[in-house]
Amino acid sequence: TLYQAILKRIALKLKYKSFKSRKQNEILFLGYILKEYNNRWFLVGKKYSQNSIMTLALDRIEKIEFDLSISYEIEKFDADTYYKDTYGVTVLNDDSLVEIIMAVDRTNAPYVITKPFHPSQKLIHKNENGSIQISICVHHNYEIERLILGFGPGITILKPRKMKTRIKSLLKQSLKNYGA
């Protein structure tokens, strides 16, 4: 239904309930693309008569109706450009764009080299013991933090200091959950 609405440029009347909201909201929405990330699908587009792009999780959409009374505003939207500096689906403004330099231990280095985190990934240094240093340039968002945390002790953030401090804080909170 959503794919057909995108193809045929039909406005949608959605009932959507975000995780943060207590009740569902009705949204008049113009869908541009469907995007998958981490086994979850998203509808990317904008609210009718607004300019900012929104990302809606499909599993949070409770009702879908077509609204043929609204003219679908044709807008140039290039998903590759929109997501160029993002890991995941949360696109932030350029103030959140950071170059992240990290050390990857020798166990994880082959995985990170053969399956880069992001197209901006660069190998900075390969150590004799097989560990590496890499850099990526992305928005500092929820998804990039989760990726880094998922590697546990296999990755250490070297720069920027703000992100290093954030990851360290999250790890300390995790340790408290285990009584440490």
Side-chain angles (χ1 to χ4, degrees), residues 29-83:
F29 201 78
L30 307 174
Y32 294 158
I33 64 168
L34 291 169
K35 181 171 177 61
E36 185 269 340
Y37 169 71
N38 200 23
N39 295 317
R40 178 175 266 176
W41 282 89
F42 299 87
L43 175 62
V44 181
K46 68 176 191 170
K47 283 184 182 179
Y48 177 71
S49 75
Q50 291 189 0
N51 289 326
S52 59
I53 302 294
M54 290 181 68
T55 303
L56 305 176
L58 295 195
D59 61 337
R60 307 306 303 154
I61 297 173
E62 296 183 348
K63 187 173 182 184
I64 302 169
E65 293 178 353
F66 295 126
D67 192 331
L68 300 173
S69 68
I70 294 175
S71 80
Y72 189 108
E73 300 167 16
I74 297 173
E75 178 162 331
K76 290 182 181 180
F77 177 77
D78 180 7
D80 291 333
T81 301
Y82 183 68
Y83 286 103

Short mmCIF file of all heavy atoms in Angstrom, two decimals, residues 29-83:
data_model
loop_
_atom_site.label_atom_id
_atom_site.label_comp_id
_atom_site.label_asym_id
_atom_site.label_seq_id
_atom_site.Cartn_x
_atom_site.Cartn_y
_atom_site.Cartn_z
N PHE A 29 0.66 12.79 5.06
CA PHE A 29 2.05 12.48 4.75
C PHE A 29 2.26 12.23 3.28
O PHE A 29 1.43 11.59 2.62
CB PHE A 29 2.46 11.24 5.56
CG PHE A 29 3.93 11.09 5.75
CD1 PHE A 29 4.62 11.84 6.69
CD2 PHE A 29 4.65 10.18 4.98
CE1 PHE A 29 5.98 11.70 6.87
CE2 PHE A 29 6.01 10.02 5.16
CZ PHE A 29 6.68 10.78 6.10
N LEU A 30 3.39 12.71 2.78
CA LEU A 30 3.81 12.47 1.41
C LEU A 30 5.03 11.56 1.47
O LEU A 30 6.10 11.98 1.92
CB LEU A 30 4.16 13.78 0.71
CG LEU A 30 3.08 14.87 0.76
CD1 LEU A 30 3.58 16.17 0.16
CD2 LEU A 30 1.82 14.40 0.06
N GLY A 31 4.87 10.32 1.07
CA GLY A 31 5.97 9.36 1.15
C GLY A 31 6.89 9.46 -0.04
O GLY A 31 6.45 9.58 -1.18
N TYR A 32 8.20 9.41 0.22
CA TYR A 32 9.21 9.46 -0.84
C TYR A 32 9.87 8.11 -1.09
O TYR A 32 10.05 7.70 -2.22
CB TYR A 32 10.30 10.48 -0.50
CG TYR A 32 9.83 11.91 -0.45
CD1 TYR A 32 10.53 12.86 0.26
CD2 TYR A 32 8.68 12.34 -1.11
CE1 TYR A 32 10.12 14.18 0.32
CE2 TYR A 32 8.25 13.65 -1.06
CZ TYR A 32 8.98 14.57 -0.34
OH TYR A 32 8.57 15.86 -0.29
N ILE A 33 10.26 7.43 0.00
CA ILE A 33 10.92 6.13 -0.14
C ILE A 33 10.56 5.24 1.05
O ILE A 33 10.13 5.73 2.10
CB ILE A 33 12.46 6.23 -0.22
CG1 ILE A 33 13.05 6.79 1.09
CG2 ILE A 33 12.91 7.01 -1.44
CD1 ILE A 33 14.57 6.65 1.21
N LEU A 34 10.76 3.95 0.87
CA LEU A 34 10.75 2.99 1.96
C LEU A 34 12.20 2.61 2.19
O LEU A 34 12.95 2.38 1.24
CB LEU A 34 9.92 1.76 1.60
CG LEU A 34 8.43 1.99 1.48
CD1 LEU A 34 7.75 0.78 0.85
CD2 LEU A 34 7.82 2.27 2.85
N LYS A 35 12.60 2.56 3.46
CA LYS A 35 13.99 2.25 3.80
C LYS A 35 14.03 1.19 4.88
O LYS A 35 13.28 1.26 5.83
CB LYS A 35 14.71 3.52 4.28
CG LYS A 35 16.19 3.28 4.62
CD LYS A 35 16.91 4.58 4.87
CE LYS A 35 18.34 4.39 5.29
NZ LYS A 35 19.18 3.74 4.32
N GLU A 36 14.94 0.23 4.71
CA GLU A 36 15.14 -0.81 5.71
C GLU A 36 16.43 -0.54 6.45
O GLU A 36 17.44 -0.16 5.86
CB GLU A 36 15.20 -2.19 5.04
CG GLU A 36 15.29 -3.35 6.01
CD GLU A 36 16.71 -3.77 6.35
OE1 GLU A 36 17.64 -3.44 5.59
OE2 GLU A 36 16.89 -4.40 7.41
N TYR A 37 16.40 -0.68 7.76
CA TYR A 37 17.60 -0.61 8.57
C TYR A 37 17.43 -1.56 9.76
O TYR A 37 16.42 -1.49 10.46
CB TYR A 37 17.88 0.81 9.07
CG TYR A 37 18.95 0.85 10.13
CD1 TYR A 37 20.28 0.62 9.80
CD2 TYR A 37 18.63 1.03 11.47
CE1 TYR A 37 21.26 0.60 10.78
CE2 TYR A 37 19.60 1.01 12.44
CZ TYR A 37 20.91 0.79 12.09
OH TYR A 37 21.88 0.75 13.06
N ASN A 38 18.39 -2.43 9.94
CA ASN A 38 18.42 -3.32 11.10
C ASN A 38 17.12 -4.13 11.24
O ASN A 38 16.54 -4.21 12.33
CB ASN A 38 18.72 -2.51 12.36
CG ASN A 38 19.25 -3.36 13.48
OD1 ASN A 38 19.78 -4.44 13.25
ND2 ASN A 38 19.09 -2.89 14.71
N ASN A 39 16.67 -4.68 10.14
CA ASN A 39 15.45 -5.51 10.08
C ASN A 39 14.18 -4.76 10.47
O ASN A 39 13.21 -5.36 10.94
CB ASN A 39 15.60 -6.76 10.96
CG ASN A 39 16.67 -7.68 10.43
OD1 ASN A 39 16.75 -7.90 9.23
ND2 ASN A 39 17.49 -8.20 11.32
N ARG A 40 14.18 -3.45 10.30
CA ARG A 40 12.99 -2.64 10.54
C ARG A 40 12.80 -1.73 9.32
O ARG A 40 13.76 -1.21 8.79
CB ARG A 40 13.17 -1.81 11.81
CG ARG A 40 11.97 -0.89 12.09
CD ARG A 40 12.13 -0.18 13.40
NE ARG A 40 11.44 -0.98 14.40
CZ ARG A 40 11.43 -0.71 15.68
NH1 ARG A 40 12.09 0.29 16.17
NH2 ARG A 40 10.76 -1.47 16.52
N TRP A 41 11.56 -1.57 8.92
CA TRP A 41 11.26 -0.75 7.74
C TRP A 41 10.73 0.62 8.15
O TRP A 41 10.04 0.75 9.16
CB TRP A 41 10.24 -1.46 6.85
CG TRP A 41 10.89 -2.54 6.04
CD1 TRP A 41 11.05 -3.84 6.40
CD2 TRP A 41 11.49 -2.40 4.77
NE1 TRP A 41 11.72 -4.52 5.42
CE2 TRP A 41 12.00 -3.66 4.40
CE3 TRP A 41 11.64 -1.33 3.88
CZ2 TRP A 41 12.65 -3.88 3.19
CZ3 TRP A 41 12.29 -1.55 2.67
CH2 TRP A 41 12.78 -2.82 2.33
N PHE A 42 11.04 1.62 7.32
CA PHE A 42 10.68 3.01 7.58
C PHE A 42 10.10 3.65 6.33
O PHE A 42 10.51 3.32 5.22
CB PHE A 42 11.92 3.80 8.02
CG PHE A 42 12.55 3.28 9.27
CD1 PHE A 42 13.51 2.28 9.23
CD2 PHE A 42 12.18 3.79 10.52
CE1 PHE A 42 14.09 1.79 10.40
CE2 PHE A 42 12.75 3.31 11.68
CZ PHE A 42 13.70 2.30 11.62
N LEU A 43 9.18 4.56 6.54
CA LEU A 43 8.64 5.39 5.49
C LEU A 43 9.27 6.77 5.64
O LEU A 43 9.20 7.38 6.71
CB LEU A 43 7.11 5.50 5.62
CG LEU A 43 6.39 6.44 4.66
CD1 LEU A 43 6.57 6.00 3.21
CD2 LEU A 43 4.91 6.54 5.02
N VAL A 44 9.93 7.23 4.59
CA VAL A 44 10.61 8.51 4.61
C VAL A 44 9.88 9.47 3.69
O VAL A 44 9.55 9.12 2.56
CB VAL A 44 12.09 8.35 4.17
CG1 VAL A 44 12.82 9.69 4.20
CG2 VAL A 44 12.81 7.33 5.03
N GLY A 45 9.60 10.66 4.19
CA GLY A 45 8.90 11.66 3.41
C GLY A 45 8.71 12.91 4.25
O GLY A 45 9.55 13.22 5.10
N LYS A 46 7.60 13.58 4.04
CA LYS A 46 7.34 14.77 4.86
C LYS A 46 5.85 14.93 5.11
O LYS A 46 5.01 14.44 4.36
CB LYS A 46 7.93 16.02 4.21
CG LYS A 46 7.26 16.44 2.94
CD LYS A 46 7.86 17.75 2.44
CE LYS A 46 7.02 18.30 1.32
NZ LYS A 46 7.38 19.63 0.95
N LYS A 47 5.57 15.63 6.19
CA LYS A 47 4.18 15.99 6.47
C LYS A 47 3.73 16.96 5.39
O LYS A 47 4.51 17.79 4.92
CB LYS A 47 4.05 16.67 7.83
CG LYS A 47 4.10 15.75 9.01
CD LYS A 47 3.86 16.54 10.28
CE LYS A 47 3.94 15.69 11.50
NZ LYS A 47 3.74 16.46 12.74
N TYR A 48 2.46 16.85 5.04
CA TYR A 48 1.90 17.77 4.05
C TYR A 48 2.07 19.21 4.53
O TYR A 48 1.86 19.51 5.69
CB TYR A 48 0.41 17.45 3.84
CG TYR A 48 -0.27 18.37 2.88
CD1 TYR A 48 0.02 18.32 1.53
CD2 TYR A 48 -1.18 19.31 3.33
CE1 TYR A 48 -0.60 19.16 0.64
CE2 TYR A 48 -1.81 20.16 2.45
CZ TYR A 48 -1.51 20.09 1.10
OH TYR A 48 -2.12 20.95 0.23
N SER A 49 2.50 20.06 3.65
CA SER A 49 2.72 21.50 3.86
C SER A 49 3.85 21.81 4.85
O SER A 49 3.87 22.87 5.44
CB SER A 49 1.42 22.23 4.26
OG SER A 49 1.08 21.97 5.60
N GLN A 50 4.76 20.87 5.04
CA GLN A 50 5.97 21.14 5.82
C GLN A 50 7.18 20.76 4.98
O GLN A 50 7.08 19.96 4.06
CB GLN A 50 5.96 20.35 7.13
CG GLN A 50 4.92 20.85 8.10
CD GLN A 50 5.06 20.22 9.48
OE1 GLN A 50 5.94 19.41 9.72
NE2 GLN A 50 4.18 20.61 10.37
N ASN A 51 8.32 21.32 5.33
CA ASN A 51 9.51 21.09 4.52
C ASN A 51 10.47 20.05 5.06
O ASN A 51 11.25 19.49 4.31
CB ASN A 51 10.27 22.41 4.32
CG ASN A 51 9.52 23.35 3.40
OD1 ASN A 51 8.86 22.91 2.48
ND2 ASN A 51 9.62 24.63 3.66
N SER A 52 10.44 19.79 6.35
CA SER A 52 11.45 18.89 6.90
C SER A 52 11.09 17.42 6.64
O SER A 52 9.94 17.01 6.72
CB SER A 52 11.62 19.13 8.40
OG SER A 52 10.41 18.92 9.07
N ILE A 53 12.11 16.66 6.33
CA ILE A 53 11.96 15.23 6.07
C ILE A 53 11.75 14.50 7.40
O ILE A 53 12.39 14.82 8.39
CB ILE A 53 13.21 14.67 5.34
CG1 ILE A 53 13.45 15.42 4.03
CG2 ILE A 53 13.12 13.17 5.12
CD1 ILE A 53 12.39 15.22 2.98
N MET A 54 10.87 13.52 7.38
CA MET A 54 10.58 12.71 8.57
C MET A 54 10.78 11.24 8.23
O MET A 54 10.61 10.83 7.09
CB MET A 54 9.12 12.88 9.01
CG MET A 54 8.76 14.21 9.58
SD MET A 54 7.01 14.23 10.07
CE MET A 54 7.03 13.09 11.43
N THR A 55 11.08 10.47 9.25
CA THR A 55 11.22 9.03 9.11
C THR A 55 10.26 8.38 10.09
O THR A 55 10.33 8.61 11.29
CB THR A 55 12.67 8.60 9.43
OG1 THR A 55 13.55 9.31 8.56
CG2 THR A 55 12.86 7.12 9.23
N LEU A 56 9.34 7.58 9.55
CA LEU A 56 8.33 6.91 10.37
C LEU A 56 8.54 5.40 10.33
O LEU A 56 8.66 4.82 9.24
CB LEU A 56 6.92 7.22 9.84
CG LEU A 56 6.53 8.69 9.71
CD1 LEU A 56 5.14 8.81 9.09
CD2 LEU A 56 6.56 9.39 11.05
N ALA A 57 8.61 4.76 11.48
CA ALA A 57 8.74 3.31 11.54
C ALA A 57 7.41 2.68 11.13
O ALA A 57 6.35 3.06 11.63
CB ALA A 57 9.11 2.88 12.95
N LEU A 58 7.47 1.72 10.20
CA LEU A 58 6.24 1.11 9.71
C LEU A 58 5.46 0.41 10.80
O LEU A 58 4.23 0.41 10.79
CB LEU A 58 6.53 0.11 8.58
CG LEU A 58 7.11 0.65 7.28
CD1 LEU A 58 7.00 -0.39 6.19
CD2 LEU A 58 6.49 1.96 6.85
N ASP A 59 6.16 -0.18 11.77
CA ASP A 59 5.45 -0.90 12.82
C ASP A 59 4.73 0.03 13.79
O ASP A 59 4.01 -0.43 14.66
CB ASP A 59 6.39 -1.85 13.57
CG ASP A 59 7.55 -1.15 14.25
OD1 ASP A 59 7.93 -0.03 13.85
OD2 ASP A 59 8.11 -1.73 15.21
N ARG A 60 4.91 1.33 13.65
CA ARG A 60 4.22 2.31 14.50
C ARG A 60 3.02 2.92 13.77
O ARG A 60 2.27 3.69 14.34
CB ARG A 60 5.17 3.42 14.96
CG ARG A 60 6.47 2.95 15.62
CD ARG A 60 6.30 2.01 16.80
NE ARG A 60 5.47 2.59 17.83
CZ ARG A 60 4.75 1.91 18.70
NH1 ARG A 60 4.76 0.60 18.67
NH2 ARG A 60 4.03 2.51 19.60
N ILE A 61 2.87 2.61 12.49
CA ILE A 61 1.71 3.10 11.73
C ILE A 61 0.53 2.19 12.04
O ILE A 61 0.58 0.99 11.81
CB ILE A 61 1.99 3.11 10.21
CG1 ILE A 61 3.13 4.08 9.90
CG2 ILE A 61 0.72 3.51 9.44
CD1 ILE A 61 3.60 4.05 8.45
N GLU A 62 -0.53 2.78 12.59
CA GLU A 62 -1.68 1.98 13.02
C GLU A 62 -2.81 1.94 11.99
O GLU A 62 -3.62 1.03 11.99
CB GLU A 62 -2.19 2.50 14.37
CG GLU A 62 -1.13 2.32 15.46
CD GLU A 62 -1.59 2.75 16.84
OE1 GLU A 62 -2.65 3.40 16.97
OE2 GLU A 62 -0.87 2.43 17.81
N LYS A 63 -2.84 2.95 11.10
CA LYS A 63 -3.88 2.95 10.06
C LYS A 63 -3.36 3.76 8.87
O LYS A 63 -2.71 4.79 9.04
CB LYS A 63 -5.17 3.58 10.60
CG LYS A 63 -6.34 3.47 9.65
CD LYS A 63 -7.61 3.96 10.30
CE LYS A 63 -8.77 3.79 9.35
NZ LYS A 63 -10.01 4.33 9.91
N ILE A 64 -3.69 3.27 7.66
CA ILE A 64 -3.29 3.93 6.43
C ILE A 64 -4.52 4.16 5.57
O ILE A 64 -5.28 3.23 5.31
CB ILE A 64 -2.30 3.05 5.62
CG1 ILE A 64 -1.07 2.71 6.45
CG2 ILE A 64 -1.92 3.74 4.32
CD1 ILE A 64 -0.19 1.63 5.82
N GLU A 65 -4.69 5.40 5.14
CA GLU A 65 -5.74 5.74 4.19
C GLU A 65 -5.14 6.64 3.12
O GLU A 65 -4.20 7.39 3.40
CB GLU A 65 -6.89 6.48 4.87
CG GLU A 65 -7.67 5.64 5.86
CD GLU A 65 -8.78 6.44 6.54
OE1 GLU A 65 -8.87 7.66 6.35
OE2 GLU A 65 -9.54 5.81 7.30
N PHE A 66 -5.69 6.59 1.92
CA PHE A 66 -5.28 7.52 0.87
C PHE A 66 -6.07 8.80 1.03
O PHE A 66 -7.23 8.78 1.45
CB PHE A 66 -5.57 6.93 -0.52
CG PHE A 66 -4.75 5.71 -0.83
CD1 PHE A 66 -5.37 4.54 -1.22
CD2 PHE A 66 -3.37 5.72 -0.75
CE1 PHE A 66 -4.64 3.41 -1.51
CE2 PHE A 66 -2.62 4.59 -1.04
CZ PHE A 66 -3.27 3.43 -1.43
N ASP A 67 -5.47 9.92 0.68
CA ASP A 67 -6.17 11.20 0.66
C ASP A 67 -6.00 11.81 -0.72
O ASP A 67 -5.00 12.47 -1.01
CB ASP A 67 -5.64 12.14 1.75
CG ASP A 67 -6.54 13.35 1.94
OD1 ASP A 67 -7.21 13.76 0.96
OD2 ASP A 67 -6.56 13.89 3.05
N LEU A 68 -6.99 11.56 -1.58
CA LEU A 68 -6.92 12.02 -2.97
C LEU A 68 -7.23 13.51 -3.11
O LEU A 68 -7.03 14.08 -4.18
CB LEU A 68 -7.86 11.19 -3.83
CG LEU A 68 -7.55 9.69 -3.84
CD1 LEU A 68 -8.64 8.92 -4.57
CD2 LEU A 68 -6.18 9.41 -4.42
N SER A 69 -7.69 14.14 -2.04
CA SER A 69 -8.02 15.57 -2.11
C SER A 69 -6.78 16.46 -2.01
O SER A 69 -6.83 17.63 -2.32
CB SER A 69 -9.00 15.94 -0.99
OG SER A 69 -8.36 15.85 0.27
N ILE A 70 -5.67 15.87 -1.60
CA ILE A 70 -4.44 16.64 -1.43
C ILE A 70 -3.55 16.43 -2.65
O ILE A 70 -3.32 15.30 -3.08
CB ILE A 70 -3.68 16.19 -0.16
CG1 ILE A 70 -4.49 16.55 1.07
CG2 ILE A 70 -2.29 16.81 -0.10
CD1 ILE A 70 -3.91 16.04 2.36
N SER A 71 -3.07 17.54 -3.20
CA SER A 71 -2.15 17.39 -4.33
C SER A 71 -0.77 17.05 -3.78
O SER A 71 -0.28 17.68 -2.84
CB SER A 71 -2.11 18.67 -5.16
OG SER A 71 -1.29 19.64 -4.57
N TYR A 72 -0.19 16.03 -4.36
CA TYR A 72 1.12 15.55 -3.94
C TYR A 72 2.16 16.51 -4.48
O TYR A 72 2.30 16.67 -5.68
CB TYR A 72 1.33 14.15 -4.51
CG TYR A 72 2.54 13.42 -4.01
CD1 TYR A 72 2.42 12.35 -3.15
CD2 TYR A 72 3.82 13.77 -4.43
CE1 TYR A 72 3.52 11.65 -2.70
CE2 TYR A 72 4.94 13.09 -3.98
CZ TYR A 72 4.78 12.03 -3.13
OH TYR A 72 5.87 11.35 -2.69
N GLU A 73 2.87 17.16 -3.57
CA GLU A 73 3.89 18.11 -3.98
C GLU A 73 5.12 17.34 -4.47
O GLU A 73 5.72 16.58 -3.72
CB GLU A 73 4.29 19.00 -2.81
CG GLU A 73 3.15 19.80 -2.25
CD GLU A 73 3.50 20.42 -0.90
OE1 GLU A 73 4.70 20.50 -0.53
OE2 GLU A 73 2.57 20.83 -0.21
N ILE A 74 5.45 17.53 -5.72
CA ILE A 74 6.61 16.84 -6.26
C ILE A 74 7.86 17.59 -5.81
O ILE A 74 8.02 18.78 -6.03
CB ILE A 74 6.55 16.77 -7.80
CG1 ILE A 74 5.32 15.96 -8.22
CG2 ILE A 74 7.83 16.18 -8.36
CD1 ILE A 74 5.07 15.96 -9.70
N GLU A 75 8.70 16.84 -5.12
CA GLU A 75 9.93 17.43 -4.60
C GLU A 75 11.09 16.56 -5.00
O GLU A 75 10.98 15.34 -5.02
CB GLU A 75 9.87 17.54 -3.08
CG GLU A 75 11.12 18.09 -2.49
CD GLU A 75 10.92 18.60 -1.08
OE1 GLU A 75 9.80 19.02 -0.76
OE2 GLU A 75 11.88 18.57 -0.32
N LYS A 76 12.19 17.21 -5.33
CA LYS A 76 13.38 16.44 -5.64
C LYS A 76 13.94 15.89 -4.34
O LYS A 76 14.28 16.64 -3.43
CB LYS A 76 14.42 17.31 -6.34
CG LYS A 76 14.03 17.71 -7.73
CD LYS A 76 15.12 18.52 -8.39
CE LYS A 76 14.67 18.92 -9.79
NZ LYS A 76 15.69 19.71 -10.47
N PHE A 77 13.99 14.58 -4.26
CA PHE A 77 14.52 13.92 -3.07
C PHE A 77 15.47 12.84 -3.54
O PHE A 77 15.09 11.93 -4.27
CB PHE A 77 13.41 13.31 -2.22
CG PHE A 77 13.93 12.55 -1.02
CD1 PHE A 77 14.37 13.23 0.10
CD2 PHE A 77 14.01 11.17 -1.05
CE1 PHE A 77 14.87 12.54 1.20
CE2 PHE A 77 14.51 10.46 0.05
CZ PHE A 77 14.93 11.16 1.17
N ASP A 78 16.72 12.95 -3.15
CA ASP A 78 17.72 11.96 -3.49
C ASP A 78 18.15 11.26 -2.20
O ASP A 78 18.83 11.86 -1.37
CB ASP A 78 18.91 12.64 -4.17
CG ASP A 78 20.01 11.67 -4.56
OD1 ASP A 78 19.81 10.44 -4.44
OD2 ASP A 78 21.07 12.13 -4.99
N ALA A 79 17.73 10.02 -2.05
CA ALA A 79 18.02 9.28 -0.81
C ALA A 79 19.52 9.13 -0.57
O ALA A 79 19.97 9.21 0.56
CB ALA A 79 17.34 7.91 -0.86
N ASP A 80 20.29 8.90 -1.63
CA ASP A 80 21.73 8.75 -1.46
C ASP A 80 22.35 10.01 -0.88
O ASP A 80 23.21 9.94 0.00
CB ASP A 80 22.40 8.39 -2.79
CG ASP A 80 22.04 7.00 -3.27
OD1 ASP A 80 21.73 6.13 -2.42
OD2 ASP A 80 22.06 6.77 -4.49
N THR A 81 21.92 11.16 -1.35
CA THR A 81 22.43 12.43 -0.83
C THR A 81 21.95 12.65 0.59
O THR A 81 22.71 13.06 1.47
CB THR A 81 21.98 13.60 -1.73
OG1 THR A 81 22.49 13.37 -3.05
CG2 THR A 81 22.50 14.93 -1.21
N TYR A 82 20.67 12.37 0.84
CA TYR A 82 20.09 12.59 2.16
C TYR A 82 20.78 11.76 3.23
O TYR A 82 21.04 12.23 4.34
CB TYR A 82 18.59 12.27 2.12
CG TYR A 82 17.86 12.54 3.40
CD1 TYR A 82 17.68 13.85 3.86
CD2 TYR A 82 17.36 11.50 4.17
CE1 TYR A 82 17.01 14.11 5.05
CE2 TYR A 82 16.68 11.75 5.36
CZ TYR A 82 16.52 13.05 5.79
OH TYR A 82 15.86 13.31 6.97
N TYR A 83 21.10 10.50 2.92
CA TYR A 83 21.70 9.59 3.90
C TYR A 83 23.23 9.51 3.81
O TYR A 83 23.85 8.73 4.52
CB TYR A 83 21.11 8.18 3.75
CG TYR A 83 19.70 8.09 4.29
CD1 TYR A 83 18.62 8.07 3.44
CD2 TYR A 83 19.47 8.05 5.65
CE1 TYR A 83 17.32 8.01 3.93
CE2 TYR A 83 18.18 7.98 6.15
CZ TYR A 83 17.12 7.95 5.28
OH TYR A 83 15.84 7.90 5.77
#
